[in-house]
Amino acid sequence: MSVVSYQLEGDIGVIRLNNPPVNALSHALRSGIKEALAQAQDDASLALVLICEGRTFIAGADISEFGKPPMLPSLPELLNVVEAFTKPIIAAIHGTALGGGLETAMACHYRCALATANVGLPEVKLGLLPGAGGTQRAPRLVGVKAAMDLITTGVPISADKALSIGLIDKVVEGDLLTSAIKFAQEVIAQGDVIRRVRDIEVDKESALDDFFADCRAKLSQRYRLQEAPQRIVECIEASMNKSFEEGLKVERRLFIECMNSSQSAALRHMFFAERMSSKIKDLPKETQLKDIKRVGIIGGGTMGGGIAMNFVNAGIPVTLLEINDVALQRGKDIIAKNYAMTVKKGKLTNQLATQRQALITGTTDYNDLADMDLVIEAVFENLDIKKQVFAKLDNVCKPGAILASNTSYQDVNLIAESTSRPQDVIGLHFFSPANVMKLLEIVRGDKTSDQVLATSMAMAKTIKKVPALSRVCYGFIGNRMLRQYAREAQLCLLEGSTPQGIDTVMQNFGMAMGPLAVGDLAGIDIGYKAREGLTDEEKGDVRTYCIADALYDMGRLGQKTGAGYYQYDPDTRQRMADPVVLEVIEAQAKQRGVERKAIDDETILQRLTFALINEGFKILEEGIAQRPSDIDVVYVFGYGFPAYRGGPMFYAESIGLEKIYQTICEFGAIYGEEFWQPAALLKQLVEEGKTLTQWANSQ
Ligand code: 3HC
Ligand code: NAI
C-alpha cells in the first residue's frame, strides 16, 4: 500500500500520510507528497489538508536515512514546493509534530491541531538543528526568543501553548479531518488565502542587546562541549539579519556540518540504542504480561524511598516495609523532603505531591505484602540478609508475584534459591537517586521466567525508566565495568596524578563528574564496606584500593564528612584540592614501592576509558549483555558517560578496535599484565578485521 494517498472531498483535497509507526519522512513519503501536490495542482480543489493516519502526525525526518547518500527530493526542497503552492494548505496535527514534522507544518499555510497534540523541534537532542527551514520559519512565526527556546531545549509544547505563541492557528476538537476541512473552508471564504511564513517579518524585539552572546554562554554550560546548540544560535541570528533565502543557506551549511559530526552520529546511535535495549532477543513475542497494580518495597533507605517515588508518580500504590517504626518514619521523611524539593523547584504542585505521597502506606509487617504484584527488596547489601528477606517473601506473597532485588553486586541466582519460586525472582537494579536516574538494569537469573522478564521490561517503561538487560555476574554490566575504570583512577593516583588532575581529564572528555568526585559523592565507605565481605583474592591488587582505605581510616568518607579526595566548603559544598590528600597518596606510593611520575592527560584518558571498554568486550563475549548498544545505554543513562560520544562501545568503534587492542597490549607491558589482558573478543575482532557492529549484526 502506498504511504501517501490523495483524494478530493468536495472542494478540499486531502493528502493522507500513512508510514507507521510514526510517519517519519522517508524518501517514499517525500516523493509521495510531491506527487500528491502535482495531482492537486490541476484538479478542482480549492484548498488542501495534510493529515496523517496512525498514532501521530509526522515525527520528523527518517533518522535511519541520515549518514546515507541523500535521495531526492530532499526535505528542504519539498517544503519550498509546499510553501510556494498556489492553493492554501492546512496541516492537521494529532499526536506529535516533531522536527521535520513541525517544519512541514510550518511550510504549510495554516496549522490546526487537536488539544492533545504536542509540537516541537527536538533535533538538538540528536546533535542536529532543524534543517528544513525550521530555524528560519520558527522565528518568523513566534519571534526570536520563543524560537530560540523551542529549538535549543528541544522540548515539545502543548497545542494550547503553541497557539498562544502563534506557532499554530487553531486548536480543534472532535474528528480532526472534519475540523480541518471546516477550517480550510473558512480560509477559502476569507479570500486572502495564502499566508506564507517566509513573507512574515521577524519580530526582533525579543532579541536586543546581548541576546545572542548570552544564549551562546548559557548553551555552552547547558550542553557542555556540544557543537549543535552553538550552530543553532548562528542560524537564528541569520534569520534576523539576513533574507529568508540567505538564512536558509546558512541553515543548510550548518545542518550538514552537524549531520557529518561525530557528535550527531553518537546521539543518533543512542536514539536507536535506547529503543533497542527494551527488546529481548529470545523472548517470544506473545509472552503474556502480568498486571502490576500494587507494589511492595522493602527497605526505605537511600534507594527504597526513591524507588517508591517512581511507582507512585505513575499512580501505582506502594506499601513500604521497614524494620521498625523509627526506620519507617525516617524513610517517609526522606520521601517527603524529596517531594518538597521538587515542589520548591516548581516541577510539581503541592497538591500533586500530597496526592502521590498518600499512595504510600508504611508497614513493619510482612503479611501486608501478601497481595502485592511486585515486591522490590532494597535492604542492606548483604547476601544473608537478602536471603532471609526472600524466604519471608516466599512465605507471604501470593503465587505469581514478582520478587525483585535491587542488589548492586549479589548473585541473583543465590537469592532466588532461597525461595521455592526462582522463576519469579529477578534483579531490578535502580541507580541513585532512584527517582531521578533513568537507567534500570534488569538482571535475568538463570531461572527467571519469560513472563517475569517481559513484565519487568514493560514496567520499566511505565515508570519512565530506560531498561537494559544483564545476566548475573559480579556487579552486572555497569558496576562490573566501573570497577575497572575505578581501578585505573586509583592506580593513576598512586603512580603520579592527583584527584583534580584525573577528574579534569574525565570532565573534559565529557563525563558529568570525574571518578574521584563521584567517589566523594557516593561515599568512600561504600567501596570499603563492599570490600569487607571479600577475600584478598576477590579484592584484587592492594594498589587499586590502598588510597581509598587510607582515607576511610582517617574518617574522610567524602562529601558527607566534609572531606574525602577533596575538601568541601561547609556552606557551599564547593570542592577544593587538599594538600593532606597528596601526602596520603605519596605515603601510600612509598609504602608500595611506587615511584611517582607525572602522567600526561592522554594516558590518563586512555587508561580509564580503555579499562572500561576492555571489560565491556569481556561482558559481551560472556553473553552478560545482549548487544554492545545495551552497554552504551547503561553507561549513558546510569553513569554520566557523554551521550554525544555514544557510550563506551560506540566510542571504542569510533577510535578503532585495532588502536585499542594495541594500546592495551602496550599498557600490559608498561603497567602490568595482571591489569591489562585484552578481552578475547577484542583480539578476535582485530585479527578478523571486523568491527563491533559487524559482530553484533552477526549474533
Ligand atoms: N525516524 C526513524 N524512526 C523513528 C523516528 C524517526 N524520526 N522516530 C521514531 N522512530 C522509530 C523508533 O526507532 C521506533 O522503532 P522500533 O519500533 O523499531 O523500535 C518506533 O519508531 C517507535 O518509536 P518510539 O518507541 O520512540 O515510540 P513512542 O511512541 O515512545 O514515541 C515519538 C514516539 C515521540 C515520535 C518518538 O519516537 C520520537 O521522539 N521520535 C523522534 C523525533 C525526532 O527526533 N524527530 C526529529 C528527527 S530529525 C529531523 O527531523 C531533521 C529535520 O530537521 C531535517
Ligand atoms: P540504606 O542503608 O540507605 O537503606 C537500607 C534500608 O533497609 C535501611 O533503611 C534499613 O533499615 C532497611 N532494612 C535493612 N534490613 C531490613 C529488613 N530485613 N527488612 C526491612 N528493612 C530492612 O541502603 P541503600 O543505599 O538504600 O541500599 C539498599 C540496596 O540498594 C543495597 O542492596 C544496595 O547495594 C542497593 N543499591 C544502592 C545504591 C546506592 O547508591 N545507595 C545504588 C543501587 C543499588
Side-chain angles (χ1 to χ4, degrees):
M1 210 185 75
S2 167
V3 292
V4 180
S5 67
Y6 176 73
Q7 243 174 338
L8 258 183
E9 306 228 352
D11 49 12
I12 307 296
V14 179
I15 304 178
R16 273 197 189 79
L17 311 186
N18 188 10
N19 186 24
V22 295
N23 288 309
L25 279 158
S26 64
H27 175 242
L29 209 65
R30 297 194 303 274
S31 310
I33 298 173
K34 202 172 170 193
E35 279 164 27
L37 289 175
Q39 207 180 328
Q41 186 69 64
D42 300 326
D43 70 11
S45 59
L46 297 179
L48 306 183
V49 166
L50 181 77
I51 192 165
C52 292
E53 301 280 335
R55 65 199 220 213
T56 179
F57 191 76
I58 304 164
D62 186 337
I63 304 168
S64 65
E65 283 183 3
F66 289 175
K68 297 179 185 158
M71 286 182 287
L72 299 178
S74 70
L75 189 57
E77 190 184 307
L78 173 69
L79 296 192
N80 286 340
V81 174
V82 169
E83 190 168 55
F85 204 69
T86 50
K87 301 177 187 183
I89 308 179
I90 289 91
I93 301 171
H94 76 291
T96 42
L98 298 178
L102 180 57
E103 289 177 295
T104 304
M106 288 194 286
C108 292
H109 308 120
Y110 294 89
R111 288 151 290 284
C112 64
L114 288 179
T116 49
N118 286 295
V119 302
L121 293 166
E123 286 88 343
V124 69
K125 295 180 187 168
L126 298 169
L128 296 170
L129 49 90
T135 65
Q136 305 305 300
R137 289 194 180 95
R140 284 174 166 77
L141 272 173
V142 303
V144 169
K145 185 169 179 306
M148 185 71 83
D149 281 351
L150 193 69
I151 302 175
T152 57
T153 62
V155 178
I157 56 174
S158 67
D160 279 339
K161 174 87 201 249
L163 179 69
S164 74
I165 62 172
L167 191 54
I168 64 171
D169 303 293
K170 199 167 186 157
V171 175
V172 297
E173 282 175 4
D175 180 63
L176 180 60
L177 181 59
T178 312
S179 306
I181 289 179
K182 192 164 160 249
F183 184 29
Q185 280 156 347
E186 286 164 17
V187 167
I188 299 166
Q190 279 166 21
D192 175 21
V193 286
I194 306 279
R195 201 189 63 180
R196 296 190 175 91
V197 175
R198 56 175 295 154
D199 298 333
I200 301 173
E201 278 281 307
V202 176
D203 169 19
K204 300 176 182 170
E205 288 306 301
S206 57
L208 299 173
D209 306 327
D210 298 330
F211 176 75
F212 290 105
D214 283 353
C215 287
R216 285 196 167 90
K218 281 185 192 140
L219 290 169
S220 69
Q221 296 211 333
R222 190 189 321 157
Y223 295 98
R224 208 163 54 87
L225 307 171
Q226 292 195 51
E227 297 149 3
Q230 300 298 329
R231 292 192 177 117
I232 288 171
V233 179
E234 201 175 329
C235 288
I236 298 183
E237 210 168 4
S239 80
M240 211 170 90
N241 302 329
K242 293 183 191 285
S243 68
F244 182 74
E245 281 73 20
E246 287 300 315
L248 278 188
K249 279 188 201 155
V250 172
E251 181 192 270
R252 194 76 209 139
R253 174 172 57 78
L254 296 176
F255 177 78
I256 288 169
E257 278 179 28
C258 283
M259 167 83 92
N260 294 333
S261 70
S262 59
Q263 293 194 347
S264 176
L267 288 162
R268 284 170 354 231
H269 160 77
M270 284 314 301
F271 176 85
F272 290 115
E274 183 184 342
R275 278 148 186 88
M276 184 64 89
S277 72
S278 59
K279 299 184 172 102
I280 303 177
K281 283 182 177 170
D282 59 340
L283 209 61
K285 269 214 169 78
E286 60 282 4
T287 308
Q288 289 273 313
L289 301 184
K290 291 169 183 257
D291 257 357
I292 305 288
K293 292 211 175 100
R294 274 182 290 263
V295 173
I297 292 171
I298 308 185
T302 308
M303 293 306 288
I307 296 171
M309 290 172 74
N310 285 301
F311 287 97
V312 295
N313 289 349
I316 301 172
V318 164
T319 301
L320 185 64
L321 184 142
E322 258 292 352
I323 29 176
N324 55 42
D325 289 335
V326 175
L328 186 57
Q329 194 52 48
R330 194 179 53 221
K332 284 183 161 183
D333 289 347
I334 295 173
I335 294 172
K337 207 168 130 195
N338 281 341
Y339 273 117
M341 219 132 78
T342 321
V343 171
K344 201 170 158 199
K345 283 185 193 156
K347 291 184 178 167
L348 197 68
T349 63
N350 221 342
Q351 194 191 4
L352 261 181
T354 312
Q355 273 172 17
R356 289 180 183 180
Q357 284 175 82
L359 288 174
I360 302 177
T361 312
T363 185
T364 53
D365 182 356
Y366 272 80
N367 289 312
D368 289 340
L369 301 179
D371 240 9
M372 299 295 129
D373 302 307
L374 162 68
V375 181
I376 303 174
E377 163 277 310
V379 306
F380 303 133
E381 183 69 4
N382 174 297
L383 185 59
D384 290 333
I385 300 180
K386 288 189 189 286
K387 280 174 152 179
Q388 285 163 23
V389 167
F390 273 76
K392 281 189 201 159
L393 289 177
D394 194 21
N395 278 333
V396 299
C397 289
K398 67 181 180 188
I402 298 179
L403 309 181
S405 174
N406 181 47
T407 180
S408 306
Y409 293 97
Q410 304 300 333
D411 187 330
V412 173
N413 292 326
L414 294 180
I415 295 175
E417 275 172 23
S418 61
T419 73
S420 62
R421 36 174 135 171
Q423 73 281 1
D424 293 335
V425 177
I426 193 163
L428 293 179
H429 184 211
F430 290 78
F431 286 71
S432 180
N435 54 319
V436 175
M437 295 297 287
K438 297 280 282 176
L439 180 66
L440 178 61
E441 244 181 339
I442 297 192
V443 185
R444 178 184 202 169
D446 290 347
K447 296 189 177 156
T448 308
S449 75
D450 287 352
Q451 210 186 358
V452 167
L453 209 49
T455 306
S456 301
M457 275 289 168
M459 178 277 293
K461 246 194 156 171
T462 308
I463 60 169
K464 299 200 168 79
K465 297 288 175 198
V466 181
L469 186 68
S470 175
R471 290 268 183 192
V472 175
C473 66
Y474 187 74
F476 318 123
I477 298 173
N479 283 342
R480 173 169 160 180
M481 286 169 68
L482 184 71
R483 214 174 162 208
Q484 307 310 321
Y485 173 81
R487 168 200 94 198
E488 281 308 307
Q490 292 292 321
L491 288 172
C492 285
L493 275 186
L494 197 69
E495 292 167 21
S497 192
T498 59
Q500 54 280 20
I502 295 169
D503 283 350
T504 305
V505 168
M506 295 318 296
Q507 270 191 288
N508 288 344
F509 173 72
M511 298 296 290
M513 284 174 93
L516 289 321
V518 169
D520 275 356
L521 181 70
I524 291 173
D525 51 326
I526 299 267
Y528 184 91
K529 286 191 180 134
R531 280 190 294 279
E532 264 182 339
L534 302 179
T535 62
D536 279 350
E537 199 190 343
E538 284 168 339
K539 279 187 195 170
D541 195 301
V542 66
R543 286 172 291 173
T544 63
Y545 57 83
C546 59
I547 295 169
D549 277 9
L551 293 175
Y552 177 88
D553 290 341
M554 293 163 76
R556 298 181 67 113
L557 306 187
Q559 283 198 24
K560 60 185 153 193
T561 57
Y565 292 103
Y566 296 90
Q567 222 182 339
Y568 292 86
D569 183 292
D571 300 321
T572 62
R573 288 207 172 183
Q574 176 89 25
R575 62 170 182 262
M576 296 162 284
D578 189 342
V580 174
V581 174
L582 197 57
E583 285 168 23
V584 171
I585 296 171
E586 283 169 349
Q588 286 298 323
K590 201 166 168 206
Q591 195 180 334
R592 317 277 158 204
V594 176
E595 194 193 328
R596 281 172 52 79
K597 295 192 273 268
I599 310 176
D600 66 80
D601 289 357
E602 180 67 11
T603 305
I604 292 174
L605 179 66
Q606 288 185 340
R607 287 180 64 173
L608 269 68
T609 52
F610 289 9
L612 201 59
I613 290 166
N614 198 35
E615 198 64 20
F617 274 97
K618 291 182 186 172
I619 280 172
L620 286 170
E621 77 198 24
E622 290 170 27
I624 299 294
Q626 288 194 99
R627 46 180 90 85
S629 62
D630 285 5
I631 297 181
D632 292 334
V633 163
V634 167
Y635 262 79
V636 167
F637 290 101
Y639 294 84
F641 197 96
Y644 62 80
R645 293 195 190 272
M649 305 320 283
F650 183 87
Y651 177 61
E653 194 98 291
S654 68
I655 295 174
L657 301 192
E658 191 162 354
K659 158 97 181 151
I660 292 176
Y661 175 73
Q662 277 170 2
T663 310
I664 288 177
C665 293
E666 281 163 29
F667 282 174
I670 304 169
Y671 304 113
E673 286 180 352
E674 66 274 38
F675 300 122
W676 292 100
Q677 281 294 332
L681 177 62
L682 173 61
K683 184 165 187 270
Q684 177 200 325
L685 293 184
V686 169
E687 282 169 0
E688 291 173 358
K690 279 193 185 148
T691 64
L692 191 52
T693 309
Q694 283 168 335
W695 174 81
N697 290 342
S698 70
Q699 293 303 295

